[in-house]
């Protein structure tokens, strides 16, 4: 399959799209067509990796990576993505737990898949064609992305990761996850905000000489390699319920840049047994306003408790509109609900009291949307609330609300015990250039 840009319509094969990230015209790559499946096509596929082999085969067909897909998926889904029924819920509700990866958030799935693909692309270069300098994955992060990308590329031969984060503006546990790697991961604290970090990355990419010397590549969330594997856990969850009960599942997805939500819409469009797809956002209401008013207005992000969703101009909106139409058409197939901070707090408290569930602030937005659905919509069908991160990543928020400490999963505990190291720089391109050269 080929992937076309959302803008000029120019297209690329899978490998080029993965390596480039962004299309040359500044657009995002989308599949030229979406394959059509029926649930029976997945008969015999039990694990997420097995489901993924069938679901993603058409996207990999004809590419140099086609034969590697099973291995790539096995590497990606080295952890569970369980669908757990919520005991005590008034109508059928399950939580899709996407936080069992190394950095305890769903971004591990996309980051690991992309890393596994890029590794194979790099390895496939002939020995004499292979440059001695490693590829430098340059990533600016406001919290979760940097840790997932660092974990995914840690100790991969031929790669180096340089993570930029805003000093003093990430949570203590996020900072730990950004700075605990060592080896081929360089952590850089920028004396500035997230926008400064992004600006530095852009200017480094734009510096042809620097970019050439360090073979820059990006692993940010607009890479098609982060999007595709996310459809796999929706397919896996929907099939599990379909096989057991013969009914479709509707999903509620905590949403920021809309990568996860778009993956759900794509899985449904490919024929998986899914009903409604609802995006739950925090107070950043760009998507909800767009669907309601029909006019897209990007705006500055506002800070909320669900900080990984603090996005005022969701990057995957461009893909959603390109693939599935503008607001008047989208309204019939997706919806968005806004959940404010005080409601998030109250939801975390209540779900702990009612169900014993300990949830992160992002997950709480989805739980709230489920709870406030009209009764007749809640009743007639199976709902899935997506849990995007483990609550132990956000103890400052969650613990005071539930009045007890959040148990830390083993993988996260291991990271929290590691020594950390980072370099501090001014938000100036020359300062970043020095770090890049010094460490090479
Ligand atoms: C990134 C993130 C989100 C938002 O996901 P998008 O794909 O950007 O919409 C939600 N929750 C958590 C915990 C995240 O890290």
């Amino acid at each position: 399959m080929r992937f076309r840009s959302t803008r000029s319509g120019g297209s690329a094969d899978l490998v080029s799209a993965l390596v480039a990230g962004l299309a040359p015209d500044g657009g995002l790559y989308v599949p030229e067509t979406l394959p059509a499946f029926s649930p029976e096509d997945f008969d015999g596929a039990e694990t997420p990796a097995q489901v993924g082999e069938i679901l993603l085969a058409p996207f990999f067909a004809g590419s140099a990576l086609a034969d590697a897909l099973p291995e790539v998926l096995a590497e990606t889904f080295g952890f569970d993505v369980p669908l757990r029924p919520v005991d005590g819920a008034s109508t059928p509700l399950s939580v899709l737990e996407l936080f069992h990866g190394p950095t305890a958030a769903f971004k591990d799935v996309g980051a690991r898949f992309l890393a596994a693909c890029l590794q194979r692309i790099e390895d496939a270069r002939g020995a004499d064609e292979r440059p001695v300098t490693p590829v430098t994955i340059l990533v600016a992060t406001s919290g979760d992305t940097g840790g997932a990308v660092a974990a995914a590329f840690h100790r991969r031969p031929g790669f180096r990761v340089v993570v930029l984060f805003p000093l003093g503006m990430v949570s203590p546990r996020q900072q730990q996850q950004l700075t605990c790697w060592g080896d081929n991961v360089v952590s850089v604290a920028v004396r500035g905000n997230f926008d400064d970090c992004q600006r530095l990355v852009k200017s480094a990419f734009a510096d042809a000489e620097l970019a050439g010397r360090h073979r820059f590549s990006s692993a940010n969330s607009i890479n098609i390699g982060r999007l595709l594997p996310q459809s796999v856990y929706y397919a896996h969850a929907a099939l599990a319920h379909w096989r057991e009960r013969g009914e479709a599942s509707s999903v509620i997805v905590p949403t920021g840049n809309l990568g996860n939500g778009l993956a759900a819409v794509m899985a449904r469009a490919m024929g998986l047994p899914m009903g409604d797809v609802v995006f739950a956002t925090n107070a950043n209401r760009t998507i909800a306003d767009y669907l309601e008013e029909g006019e897209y207005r990007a705006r500055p992000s506002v800070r909320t408790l669900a900080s990984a969703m603090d996005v005022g101009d969701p990057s995957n909106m461009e893909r959603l509109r390109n693939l599935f139409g503008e607001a008047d058409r989208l309204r019939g197939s997706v919806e968005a609900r806004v959940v404010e901070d005080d409601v998030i707090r109250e939801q975390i408290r209540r779900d702990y009291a009612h169900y014993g569930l300990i949830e992160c602030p992002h997950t709480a937005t989805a739980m709230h949307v489920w709870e406030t659905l009209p009764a007749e919509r809640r009743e007639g069908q199976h709902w899935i609330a997506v849990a995007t991160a483990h609550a132990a990543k956000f103890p400052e928020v969650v613990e005071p609300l539930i009045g007890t400490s959040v148990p830390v999963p083993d993988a996260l505990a291991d990271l929290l015990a590691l020594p950390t190291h980072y370099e501090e720089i001014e938000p100036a391109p020359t300062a970043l250039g020095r770090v890049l050269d010094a460490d090479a």
Side-chain angles (χ1 to χ4, degrees), residues 313-327:
D313 184 9
S315 51
N316 280 293
M317 211 51 214
E318 183 165 333
R319 281 197 174 110
L320 183 76
R321 294 163 73 184
N322 186 281
L323 286 170
F324 299 102
E326 296 296 334

Side-chain angles (χ1 to χ4, degrees), residues 195-206:
D195 294 333
D196 293 317
C197 298
Q198 266 192 315
R199 217 166 18 78
L200 284 182
V201 167
K202 278 195 188 139
S203 73
F205 270 91

Side-chain angles (χ1 to χ4, degrees), residues 2 8 44 53 118 134 175 178 244 258 300 345 352 369:
R2 291 187 68 81
S8 69
E53 282 179 37
L118 292 182
Q175 175 155 335
L178 294 169
E244 208 182 296
L258 196 61
R345 280 196 198 90
Y352 183 63
V369 167

Side-chain angles (χ1 to χ4, degrees), residues 254-310:
T255 293
N257 263 323
L258 196 61
N260 204 4
L262 177 62
V265 176
M266 285 172 58
R268 183 180 62 181
M270 288 189 273
L272 274 300
M274 295 168 66
D276 299 339
V277 176
V278 184
F279 308 134
T281 73
N282 56 27
N284 290 276
R285 47 185 314 127
T286 306
I287 302 174
D289 286 353
Y290 168 68
L291 290 174
E292 195 175 312
E293 299 160 7
E295 186 196 343
Y296 185 75
R297 286 184 294 123
R299 57 202 87 177
S301 61
V302 296
R303 284 186 85 147
T304 76
L305 289 175
S307 55
M309 293 157 44
D310 290 350

Side-chain angles (χ1 to χ4, degrees), residues 167-359:
L167 184 64
M169 295 178 75
V170 300
S171 79
R173 284 195 177 164
Q174 283 175 328
Q175 175 155 335
Q176 175 76 27
Q177 289 186 322
L178 294 169
T179 57
C180 68
W181 301 99
D183 303 312
N184 64 334
V185 177
V186 182
S187 309
V188 182
V190 176
R191 295 190 200 103
N193 58 24
F194 174 60
D195 294 333
D196 293 317
C197 298
Q198 266 192 315
R199 217 166 18 78
L200 284 182
V201 167
K202 278 195 188 139
S203 73
F205 270 91
D207 182 335
E209 205 258 324
L210 194 67
R213 193 155 71 238
H214 293 295
R215 305 184 61 217
F216 288 147
S217 180
S218 128
N220 68 22
S221 65
I222 49 91
N223 195 302
I224 190 79
R226 291 197 37 193
L227 181 64
L228 292 175
Q230 294 178 168
S231 287
V232 173
Y233 46 70
Y234 290 110
H236 181 254
L239 286 167
H241 187 74
W242 175 262
R243 287 167 181 168
E244 208 182 296
R245 309 295 292 270
E247 58 183 19
S249 299
S250 290
V251 299
I252 308 169
V253 187
T255 293
N257 263 323
L258 196 61
N260 204 4
L262 177 62
V265 176
M266 285 172 58
R268 183 180 62 181
M270 288 189 273
L272 274 300
M274 295 168 66
D276 299 339
V277 176
V278 184
F279 308 134
T281 73
N282 56 27
N284 290 276
R285 47 185 314 127
T286 306
I287 302 174
D289 286 353
Y290 168 68
L291 290 174
E292 195 175 312
E293 299 160 7
E295 186 196 343
Y296 185 75
R297 286 184 294 123
R299 57 202 87 177
S301 61
V302 296
R303 284 186 85 147
T304 76
L305 289 175
S307 55
M309 293 157 44
D310 290 350
V311 180
D313 184 9
S315 51
N316 280 293
M317 211 51 214
E318 183 165 333
R319 281 197 174 110
L320 183 76
R321 294 163 73 184
N322 186 281
L323 286 170
F324 299 102
E326 296 296 334
D328 46 354
R329 241 184 88 203
L330 285 173
R331 250 178 240 133
S333 66
V334 297
E335 59 189 283
R337 303 278 184 104
V338 173
V339 183
E340 305 278 345
D341 272 2
D342 51 342
V343 178
I344 290 176
R345 280 196 198 90
E346 188 47 37
Q347 194 68 36
I348 292 173
R349 237 186 242 125
R350 245 201 337 266
D351 287 340
Y352 183 63
H354 288 173
Y355 313 125
L357 271 185
I358 303 181
E359 65 205 19

